[in-house]
Amino acid sequence: MTTPGAASARSSAANQRRVAFATIIGTTIEWYDFFIYATGAALVFAELFFKPAGNDIALLLSFATVGISFLFRPLGAFLAGHFGDVIGRRAMLVITLILMGAATTLIGVLPTFSQVGMAAPILLLLLRILQGVSAGGEWGGAVLMAVEHAPNHRRGLAGAFPQLGVPLGMLLASGVMAIMTGLVSPGRAFLEWGWRVPFLLSVVLIVVGYFVRRAVEESPVFAEIAERGQQTKVPIVALFRKHWHLVVLASLVFVGNNAAGYMTTGGFIQGYATGRLKMDSTAVLLAATVASAMWFVSTLVAGILADRIGRKATYLIGFVFQALMVFPLFWFVNIGNLGGLYAGLVLFSIGLGLTYGPQAAWYSEIFPASVRFSGVSISYAIGAILGGAFAPTIAQALLQETGTTAAVSAYLLVMTIISIAAVLMLRDRRGIPLGPDHEAEQATGATVFGPRTAAAAPEAAKA
């Protein structure tokens, strides 16, 4: 005979699996769309949209369009954060998914500079801005759906699932591009029409993602807030009035990972390997695909570690590893063969995962329930601007100015050290309740400069 308690537990577990599946599918689709652009910027956009500027400037402009979209992430974060704290997490997930997919699909039908002149790069930039708005709003909703549905002792792993969508999106984007350059439209055909296909495929992915995300229940934390009618009218104002210091620190935690990640996801290494080192583009894309698989594995491992040894400890291990790898990354790549490229990218991806997997849980535990969507979304967006927005452009400029990748490695090391400092200023908050009944506890004790929150103290002390 099945007891009510056992049935409820099974129902809860089934719902958590649905949420995990929905968040990982949705974020994979979102970031496939986002990364397919970055890959296109490295391989074809300089030629198709910016060629009159000259080869070097055209590549810089192409990478700059990758970065400019980041400037609009805060707009997406502000909008999604406001409405996510007022009308709910699930609705924003669906809206951002559709916006990203529409922008990506339209890029696939854009005319090039040779066809319409200056209108081509302008339209490309406008659609990239829409991608930035969508990306800025999507992440916060996905991680809160995952973390707020999870039991306390599984938040790290649950929060890692939407994080897994990023390396999966990169893997999918690199894989599809590799198929197009190597099999379906090799050589000149890829430049003429093959690059468009990965963008047009977004239509299919959006339909799948829409139905998956519509099937999940609203976050229990927001459902309780809405039932009581306790939504904050202007959550962004409350966030910056009371918790601006948390936004600053959480943003800085992200800059090291984002700057490093956009060496690959932003297309810099792909462009460097195919351009300066004259490697085959399909082989380079396959190497990025394999590196994405390692990034996926290390992100999952980080989610498990975050529950066992703590969010802060996992971050510190990851950033130390990343700091040790910023110079060897290019030592391996500069060997000039595929073995070196694979070794550099795969080893570098370990640190990327270890400094990305714990982020969702830790961000969610830093901010109070009433402003949590705004807090995690805006911190993520600002961190992305400071870290990854122009990382490929900065790297390309450093390379052209100095003629050596050592300058790029030094830049990545500085960004990693900044993140380590920010991590050291925050407390591990494992065990703190996330519901609206514990708003007072959630609002204090997140930094090492104030008193520790009582509810989180036993768990944090173990970290």
Side-chain angles (χ1 to χ4, degrees):
M1 179 178 178
T2 303
T3 64
S8 176
R10 281 199 298 272
S11 175
S12 177
N15 183 57
Q16 289 167 25
R17 286 193 294 271
R18 282 196 301 272
V19 170
F21 180 70
T23 54
I24 195 171
I25 290 295
T27 51
T28 297
I29 293 169
E30 278 270 343
W31 290 102
Y32 164 84
D33 289 346
F34 202 73
F35 292 149
I36 209 74
Y37 184 99
T39 307
L43 299 181
V44 297
F45 287 168
E47 171 81 11
L48 296 176
F49 293 93
F50 303 102
K51 188 175 182 179
N55 290 338
D56 286 345
I57 300 300
L59 190 56
L60 280 173
L61 290 173
S62 185
F63 282 141
T65 64
V66 175
I68 285 172
S69 71
F70 283 74
L71 300 179
F72 291 85
R73 278 197 186 187
L75 175 61
F78 273 78
L79 292 172
H82 172 80
F83 290 108
D85 282 326
V86 174
I87 67 173
R89 284 56 162 141
R90 189 178 71 165
M92 298 314 301
L93 285 180
V94 174
I95 292 170
T96 53
L97 186 73
I98 293 172
L99 178 62
M100 177 70 87
T104 304
T105 303
L106 288 173
I107 290 173
V109 298
L110 276 183
T112 63
F113 190 94
S114 64
Q115 295 171 316
V116 296
M118 279 300 297
I122 291 172
L123 290 171
L124 180 69
L125 182 58
L126 289 175
L127 291 173
R128 181 59 176 175
I129 287 171
L130 288 181
Q131 284 191 321
V133 172
S134 173
E138 196 275 344
W139 185 82
V143 301
L144 291 188
M145 287 291 285
V147 174
E148 290 179 344
H149 271 284
N152 288 3
H153 66 286
R154 296 282 300 277
R155 286 183 200 152
L157 180 59
F161 278 101
Q163 303 295 81
L164 292 173
V166 180
L168 278 178
M170 181 62 185
L171 189 154
L172 187 60
S174 298
V176 170
M177 279 291 197
I179 290 171
M180 296 305 301
T181 60
L183 295 176
V184 179
S185 57
R188 192 69 191 173
F190 180 73
L191 196 64
E192 292 173 352
W193 61 269
W195 68 272
R196 297 182 183 276
V197 175
F199 290 89
L200 297 175
L201 285 176
S202 184
V203 172
V204 179
L205 296 176
I206 293 307
V207 172
V208 173
Y210 173 81
F211 286 106
V212 168
R213 284 194 162 175
R214 286 284 297 172
V216 300
E217 299 174 5
E218 178 59 89
S219 156
V221 172
F222 180 79
E224 188 175 351
I225 292 173
E227 185 178 346
R228 299 178 182 185
Q230 294 178 340
Q231 297 99 316
T232 303
K233 290 184 179 179
V234 190
I236 294 170
V237 173
L239 173 71
F240 280 100
R241 187 174 68 244
K242 300 177 182 178
H243 309 291
W244 63 269
H245 60 297
L246 297 181
V247 173
V248 171
L249 288 176
S251 300
L252 293 178
V253 165
F254 192 32
V255 298
N257 171 278
N258 216 230
Y262 270 84
M263 290 302 97
T264 54
T265 60
F268 172 75
I269 288 180
Q270 291 93 318
Y272 175 73
T274 57
R276 185 161 296 206
L277 300 181
K278 306 301 181 185
M279 292 186 185
D280 177 69
S281 59
T282 301
V284 171
L285 288 168
L286 289 174
T289 304
V290 172
S292 298
M294 175 54 75
W295 185 10
F296 175 92
V297 172
S298 59
T299 299
L300 182 61
V301 169
I304 296 170
L305 287 176
D307 284 328
R308 294 187 178 179
I309 67 173
R311 290 70 159 122
K312 186 170 184 174
T314 305
Y315 257 116
L316 290 174
I317 292 170
F319 276 129
V320 169
F321 188 90
Q322 180 174 301
L324 293 174
M325 280 302 303
V326 292
F327 283 95
L329 166 65
F330 287 104
W331 295 343
F332 280 116
V333 172
N334 285 331
I335 292 173
N337 59 37
L338 289 177
L341 181 65
Y342 272 87
L345 288 178
V346 168
L347 288 172
F348 195 62
S349 296
I350 295 173
L352 291 181
L354 292 176
T355 55
Y356 198 56
Q359 186 174 21
W362 207 11
Y363 269 33
S364 300
E365 292 162 345
I366 288 172
F367 294 100
S370 61
V371 295
R372 187 170 294 138
F373 200 133
S374 298
V376 300
S377 297
I378 292 169
S379 298
Y380 189 88
I382 294 175
I385 290 176
L386 298 176
F390 296 102
T393 310
I394 291 170
Q396 184 67 27
L398 287 172
L399 179 65
Q400 291 176 192
E401 183 67 26
T402 66
T404 173
T405 54
V408 181
S409 295
Y411 158 66
L412 295 179
L413 181 60
V414 170
M415 302 301 280
T416 303
I417 291 171
I418 290 172
S419 284
I420 290 174
V423 168
L424 292 172
M425 293 181 194
L426 289 168
R427 283 202 175 104
D428 197 306
R429 305 264 279 179
R430 284 183 296 159
I432 190 169
L434 296 182
D437 287 336
H438 302 274
E439 186 92 7
E441 298 171 49
Q442 297 159 7
T444 60
T447 73
V448 299
F449 305 109
R452 192 187 298 277
T453 301
E459 289 293 335
K462 299 174 186 177

